[in-house]
Amino acid sequence: MMEIGIELASTYAADAGLSIVAYYQANPTIHTHGFGPVGDRILTKLRQTAPDTVGFLVQLDELSSKSSAEVPALITNPAAHVTLNNKRSPIRALELIASGLQSASFADFDDHLENMQLDWLNNPECADQDWSG
Amino acid sequence: MAQPTLTLSSALSDLSTARVRAHRDSNEIVRKGLFVLEQKNGLKALGGDIWDFLEQLTIAALDIGQVELADDCIARLEVQFPKSPRVDVLRGMRIEAKDLGLALEYYEHTLENDETNVAIWKRLIAVLRQQNKTERCVKELVTFLDTFYSDLEGWLELADLYASLNLYTRSLQALSHALLLAPQNPFHALRFAETAYTANDIPLALRYYLRTIELIDSEEDGKETGRRAWFGVKLCTSHLSRTPNLPSESNTLPVQGKNLAALEVLATERLSAAYSSTANTKPDGKVPGRKEVLKWLGQ
């Protein structure tokens, strides 16, 4: 289903004049390292159409670390230097999650297959009203 | 989105349904469980279900890190059931929240006293998996299943473990055992299909996507599973149309010719219908993602 989700998201992005430029993944435990075979496969598929796609891996054990305040808990693939347009965006994402994004109707393609009324491509209720990009 | 107002009866009903269906929406369970605890006659209204409720609430609280709530529930259960193996499991899960190493020791010690304690053995396996001690985890799970062959959950866990290690053939073998134990369950057939697809065995995947659809009793009850299966059928038939002689590690003969074409047309029609159905539209009359799906279907 993930392959279909990627294709649908790519279609949505193209129609909206957007590009998929990155993929993020958070591993289930702090002991799980790397993107794993599924994550690697997703990156490979995305890079078929967008060779510069970046992979972001969220490091769970660093999320609560006070030393990671600036660009917390992310490692990138490829390891080459990546500059965020807004350096605060990872911290802002964490703030949103901490403030209860999980209780909002955040839906992915799997959720949409369970309930087709969920707008997984837009997730309008989860839009950051304070985001200035 | 504003949540509907809770009442004691609705909370109790939802929690009971979640127990019966083994749903683990932990945030919701804790929200409703706390509501019940706060009501004047909340616990009394549970009647004989109070202990199952406390067990459910303990697990949900641990899931979302509310350890104080979990401690409160475990304390009540310990008073009522001082030597209960089920409470032993909850105690172990509470230790897991603090220290996986200690939890492992606790489970190993408990098993020394009773090596047939299935629930504790499963928690030990779960801890090994959390610790990424994969080799030992697989070994324990295989030994467990040699002893308790009919444990469906165990076979599904083994399948998931193998899949996480990219060992899809072994994952399919484990799922085969699950299908032997529950041959009429469309969810397991779907999982088999999806694993076969991930393993690039498209002919096998197509066969099991179709089996999933065949197993769905009622179109209403199985519509979500059916949708996934039809997406799978469309994906597989598209691949086979482009490359008729795709290899199959399982030596499954691929569907070809007019049967393949007919299946692709049918999948397209089923998915188009789903994305055009008024049952799936939002209040604004649209089905989210419809345009993208129709484009993907080639319409």
Side-chain angles (χ1 to χ4, degrees):
Chain A
M1 294 301 119
M2 200 175 297
E3 182 175 326
I4 300 170
I6 290 172
E7 291 181 16
L8 294 174
S10 299
T11 300
Y12 167 80
D15 286 350
L18 301 170
S19 305
I20 296 178
V21 297
Y23 160 74
Y24 81 89
Q25 176 175 309
N27 284 336
T29 74
I30 62 172
H31 301 286
T32 313
H33 303 292
F35 285 90
V38 174
D40 284 338
R41 205 158 149 165
I42 292 169
L43 280 169
T44 301
K45 178 146 179 84
L46 289 172
R47 284 170 180 157
Q48 283 171 1
T49 45
D52 294 332
T53 303
V54 176
F56 288 113
L57 186 62
V58 181
Q59 294 289 86
L60 293 179
D61 51 347
E62 286 188 23
L63 271 182
S64 58
S65 163
K66 291 177 184 169
S67 66
S68 58
E70 197 171 295
V71 182
L74 291 178
I75 57 174
T76 59
N77 172 334
H81 180 72
V82 168
T83 305
L84 296 174
N85 222 18
N86 186 322
K87 285 184 183 173
R88 225 185 150 265
S89 57
I91 299 166
R92 179 61 185 148
L94 289 173
E95 286 172 358
L96 286 171
I97 292 167
S99 69
L101 179 68
Q102 67 204 35
S103 62
S105 298
F106 186 77
D108 60 16
F109 184 51
D110 260 342
D111 298 319
H112 169 79
L113 288 173
E114 296 292 319
N115 177 358
M116 288 176 66
Q117 294 187 2
L118 295 177
D119 189 353
W120 71 285
L121 287 167
N122 286 291
N123 277 301
E125 287 160 24
C126 302
D128 183 3
Q129 304 303 326
D130 297 332
W131 178 245
S132 58
Chain B
M1 185 196 294
Q3 291 177 327
T5 307
L6 270 182
T7 62
L8 182 59
S9 63
S10 69
L12 291 175
S13 173
D14 290 348
L15 289 166
S16 174
T17 303
R19 284 196 299 277
V20 166
R21 293 185 182 176
H23 282 173
R24 251 176 105 154
D25 186 349
S26 297
N27 282 304
E28 273 303 288
I29 288 171
V30 167
R31 186 175 76 91
K32 290 168 183 170
L34 281 172
F35 178 83
V36 169
L37 288 176
E38 287 161 7
Q39 303 310 301
K40 190 176 168 189
N41 294 312
L43 287 179
K44 197 173 171 184
L46 280 157
D49 287 340
I50 181 175
W51 311 114
D52 288 334
F53 161 75
L54 287 173
E55 182 183 41
Q56 176 190 32
L57 188 54
T58 304
I59 294 170
L62 288 172
D63 264 354
I64 62 171
Q66 290 214 18
V67 290
E68 282 183 14
L69 174 59
D71 285 339
D72 177 43
C73 294
I74 291 172
R76 293 176 197 239
L77 285 164
E78 281 176 333
V79 167
Q80 183 68 20
F81 305 104
K83 291 185 182 176
S84 162
R86 277 167 77 168
V87 178
D88 285 344
V89 174
L90 294 176
R91 211 177 283 120
M93 290 173 76
R94 172 61 179 93
I95 300 172
E96 285 180 44
K98 191 177 169 184
D99 188 320
L100 287 178
L102 279 177
L104 192 62
E105 285 175 20
Y106 171 80
Y107 292 136
E108 285 167 341
H109 176 72
T110 309
L111 279 172
E112 279 170 14
N113 296 327
D114 178 10
E115 61 184 10
T116 63
N117 190 326
V118 168
I120 291 285
W121 199 346
K122 285 181 160 186
R123 285 316 310 167
L124 179 140
I125 291 166
V127 166
L128 289 171
R129 186 151 187 199
Q130 287 180 74
Q131 290 180 314
N132 225 27
K133 291 180 179 172
T134 313
E135 198 177 316
R136 189 178 160 197
C137 185
V138 170
K139 193 174 161 190
E140 282 289 343
L141 192 42
V142 167
T143 306
F144 173 84
L145 289 166
D146 279 344
T147 314
F148 300 105
Y149 175 83
S150 61
D151 193 295
L152 179 59
E153 192 182 48
W155 286 111
L156 295 173
E157 180 68 14
L158 184 61
D160 190 62
L161 193 49
Y162 280 138
S164 72
L165 298 169
N166 221 16
L167 299 172
Y168 296 113
T169 302
R170 292 196 192 183
S171 182
L172 287 170
Q173 287 166 354
L175 285 171
S176 296
H177 290 284
L179 284 171
L180 276 174
L181 291 167
Q184 302 302 317
N185 190 315
F187 302 109
H188 303 327
L190 179 65
R191 190 152 162 196
F192 192 98
E194 289 177 340
T195 305
Y197 185 87
T198 308
N200 286 324
D201 194 334
I202 307 299
L204 183 63
L206 175 59
R207 173 180 287 192
Y208 274 87
Y209 279 126
L210 292 170
R211 179 70 182 139
T212 304
I213 291 163
E214 191 181 23
L215 286 172
I216 292 170
D217 270 340
S218 139
E219 197 173 308
E220 187 54 35
D221 287 343
K223 57 186 177 190
E224 298 87 5
T225 306
R227 269 198 291 275
R228 289 174 190 273
W230 282 118
F231 267 113
V233 170
K234 174 65 182 179
L235 198 56
C236 290
T237 51
S238 298
H239 279 304
L240 287 168
S241 295
R242 288 193 298 270
T243 316
N245 297 315
L246 280 173
S248 167
E249 193 176 321
S250 62
N251 296 319
T252 305
L253 291 175
V255 177
Q256 290 178 325
K258 62 179 182 183
N259 287 340
L260 182 67
L263 281 172
E264 189 166 7
V265 165
L266 183 57
T268 303
E269 187 273 326
R270 292 283 82 216
L271 289 168
S272 299
Y275 276 85
S276 304
S277 167
T278 52
N280 296 323
T281 54
K282 288 167 60 183
D284 62 5
K286 295 179 185 172
V287 181
R290 180 172 184 270
K291 190 175 73 167
E292 289 76 16
V293 168
L294 291 182
K295 203 165 178 175
W296 182 76
L297 290 171
Q299 300 193 323

